[in-house]
Amino acid sequence: MLELKHISFGVGEGGASKEIIHDVSLTLPDNKFIAITGPNGGGKSTLAKLIAGIEQPSSGEILLDGEDITRLGITERAKKGISYAFQQPVRFKGITVKDLIGLAAGENISTARACNYLSEVGLCAKDYINREVNASLSGGELKRIEIATVLARKTKLTVFDEPEAGIDLWSFQNLIRVFEKMHDETHGSIMIISHQERILNIADEIVVIVEGKVADAGRREDILPGLLGTTAGCQFTKKPC
């Protein structure tokens, strides 16, 4: 279980401090699919980076299974069982797709096993298994390869930052299937930053972040109708109003 207790985060701007996250307290239970949504610029991605250890809070505590991980960096948190998928995946010149999946799994996995992970995200394994993770791959290909590495890690908490970014419609439909399968089969939690209604529709719980604060949080069936039924909700889900 992940707990955020009175988390705040600010950055210096023109000699002054601008607070992006304001006194956020959340409990993310085990074995749940949690969607974080809200308007652009509201602090969603910053919150995800604070959870992953990419950024450090200016105040508050972050607990994983009761252990204080507030001051641990991204590598230490990864060892504790937190995975993070970037909105814009990182390229690794000189590393093959198979090697990257093996690094994620923490062992020298077989080609067949690596191919299974690629197939899960809709990639023809023979076309990708020995390719370098470099500029020759499109953004959509990189996104799916990154998700394959997350599947290989099988961590306690997996954080996806807008996984639909740069993904075509066919790939997005398959991503939904991947997330549903992860939800059914994993014993960890999934947290997705997203505006997409189809992702919100398969979440157990939804957290709404507005201007760096928790505006609402609860079960999908309690939160989603209110989001979809308001003009403000249109900017969350990208639906016309």
Side-chain angles (χ1 to χ4, degrees):
M1 181 171 68
L2 186 78
E3 298 175 86
L4 278 61
K5 296 185 176 181
H6 304 291
I7 291 295
S8 293
F9 174 77
V11 295
E13 187 174 274
S17 179
K18 178 183 178 182
E19 198 166 52
I20 299 173
I21 299 295
H22 310 272
D23 193 29
V24 168
S25 292
L26 282 173
T27 298
L28 306 180
D30 292 335
N31 306 324
K32 294 290 185 180
F33 188 134
I34 299 154
I36 309 289
T37 194
N40 289 333
K44 303 183 303 299
S45 291
T46 299
L47 186 65
K49 290 175 182 177
L50 288 167
I51 290 171
I54 297 169
E55 301 285 3
Q56 296 290 322
S58 50
S59 63
E61 293 180 304
I62 301 175
L63 306 179
L64 180 64
D65 295 334
E67 179 185 355
D68 189 345
I69 62 169
T70 311
R71 298 303 161 196
L72 297 185
I74 187 170
T75 301
E76 291 82 4
R77 293 195 200 187
K79 291 176 181 177
K80 298 286 184 183
I82 297 177
S83 290
Y84 179 83
F86 290 87
Q87 189 176 134
Q88 298 296 329
V90 180
R91 299 176 189 270
F92 298 92
K93 187 176 180 180
I95 297 179
T96 67
V97 171
K98 179 180 181 294
D99 289 340
L100 187 62
I101 295 174
L103 286 170
E107 57 183 308
N108 186 20
I109 64 174
S110 67
T111 298
R113 186 174 160 198
C115 287
N116 286 338
Y117 289 123
L118 290 172
S119 297
E120 287 284 346
V121 296
L123 293 177
C124 178
K126 67 181 179 63
D127 294 336
Y128 290 92
I129 195 70
N130 293 315
R131 287 183 66 176
E132 285 191 17
V133 188
N134 57 22
S136 69
L137 296 168
S138 70
E141 290 170 328
L142 279 170
K143 178 72 73 172
R144 284 191 273 175
I145 289 167
E146 182 182 49
I147 292 172
T149 66
V150 170
L151 293 174
R153 287 210 63 212
K154 298 179 180 177
T155 46
K156 291 180 182 178
L157 173 64
T158 305
V159 181
F160 293 95
D161 189 358
E162 297 197 23
E164 67 272 14
I167 292 287
D168 57 68
L169 180 60
W170 181 89
S171 298
F172 180 66
Q173 291 170 336
N174 278 272
L175 282 183
I176 296 294
R177 179 188 60 79
V178 169
F179 294 142
E180 288 178 320
K181 185 172 182 180
M182 284 182 69
H183 189 202
D184 290 339
E185 295 182 358
T186 185
H187 295 295
S189 295
I190 303 169
M191 189 183 97
I192 299 185
I193 309 295
S194 182
H195 296 104
Q196 293 291 333
E197 184 181 346
R198 281 175 290 178
I199 288 178
L200 301 183
N201 265 319
I202 61 173
D204 295 312
E205 299 184 8
I206 295 174
V207 178
V208 182
I209 301 293
V210 179
E211 295 182 350
K213 300 178 181 178
V214 177
D216 208 352
R219 299 182 305 166
R220 177 194 66 241
E221 53 267 37
D222 295 330
I223 303 299
L224 189 56
L227 282 180
L228 301 180
T230 64
T231 301
C234 301
Q235 62 184 310
F236 301 163
T237 58
K238 305 295 188 182
K239 291 182 70 175
C241 295

